[in-house]
Amino acid sequence: LAKTTQPISMDSYEGQEVNITCSHNNIATNDYITWYQQFPSQGPRFIIQGYKTKVTNEVASLFIPADRKSSTLSLPRVSLSDTAVYYCLLARGFQKLVFGTGTRPLVSP
Amino acid sequence: GAVVSQHPSRVICKSGTSVKIECRSLDFQATTMFWYRQFPKQSLMLMATSNEGSKATYEQGVEKDKFLINHASLTLSTLTVTSAHPEDSSFYICSARPADMLQETQYFGPGTRLLVL
């Protein structure tokens, strides 16, 4: 599966919107863009998944441009409790997921 | 939603012993499950793909005789770390994808912390 690239960390403040961008230049037609959240000593938790345009759920929004070579996870009004590692992955059928470094938002009060 | 459980959540064992970790899909069937290992401050590394009724597929560098995987039913996969050594101490996580769901989504277990003394 194609590799994804995302920043290792980013600074933010409580109450702000945090946008994490992920690059996936070699995304395939059958790949779905998927984001997971992982807290220390826990398994990753599914946040959101999309194929194109915009997807929104109760946790986050996912923006995908027409060329699908990147995507942006938007976390509205982050709090200290949102401090976790966020992974961007490409999912396709029953194939394995390849985890990159993930992004850790550094939320300050 | 789809729930994956793991047992035990934490285990401490002596060097040279074997440890079995169970991964169960609680409310769905999974023909394929995946086993990952995660060291501190690092990302998840896929160890193997567990296929129900057939042999597991191991990633390069993962010893199949040391990490035995059995996927005996559509809801259970087990990972046995044989002759465990301190360097096997890690966080082991499994995942599964529901066979009948339209979404291309895998669900992860809570993980098992293994400490080998």
Side-chain angles (χ1 to χ4, degrees), chain A residues 9-109:
Chain A
S9 66
M10 54 194 314
D11 295 324
S12 62
Y13 291 92
E14 277 196 295
Q16 279 189 338
E17 177 183 80
V18 172
N19 297 309
I20 305 174
T21 298
C22 178
S23 297
H24 26 81
N25 291 317
N26 296 320
I27 188 170
T29 303
N30 296 335
D31 288 338
Y32 282 74
I33 301 159
T34 311
W35 287 80
Y36 288 87
Q37 174 193 57
Q38 186 184 28
F39 291 100
S41 297
Q42 295 185 25
R45 182 177 77 107
F46 171 80
I47 297 177
I48 198 166
Q49 183 178 74
Y51 187 81
K52 60 181 179 180
T53 63
K54 177 184 175 182
V55 180
T56 297
N57 61 23
E58 63 277 7
V59 177
S61 294
L62 178 60
F63 299 91
I64 306 168
D67 65 4
R68 302 200 330 123
K69 292 183 182 299
S70 67
S71 59
T72 300
L73 175 73
S74 180
L75 305 172
R77 297 180 297 281
V78 294
S79 66
L80 291 173
S81 64
D82 293 317
T83 302
V85 179
Y86 294 83
Y87 292 100
C88 165
L89 300 102
L90 302 178
R92 186 194 310 167
F94 291 92
Q95 293 192 28
K96 59 187 178 185
L97 296 176
V98 178
F99 281 79
T101 60
T103 298
R104 183 185 301 275
L106 304 175
V107 182
S108 300

Side-chain angles (χ1 to χ4, degrees), chain A residues 30 32 34 36 38 40-46 49 87 91-102 104, chain B residues 31-32 34 36 38 41-44 46 49 59 91 93 97-99 103-111 113:
Chain A
N30 296 335
Y32 282 74
T34 311
Y36 288 87
Q38 186 184 28
S41 297
Q42 295 185 25
R45 182 177 77 107
F46 171 80
Q49 183 178 74
Y87 292 100
R92 186 194 310 167
F94 291 92
Q95 293 192 28
K96 59 187 178 185
L97 296 176
V98 178
F99 281 79
T101 60
R104 183 185 301 275
Chain B
T31 55
T32 303
F34 301 88
Y36 297 81
Q38 186 176 33
K41 305 292 185 183
Q42 296 186 22
S43 184
L44 283 78
L46 180 68
T49 301
E59 294 299 300
F91 192 50
I93 309 169
R97 186 203 156 178
Q103 276 192 321
E104 306 277 339
T105 305
Q106 288 186 25
Y107 294 91
F108 287 80
R113 177 76 59 190

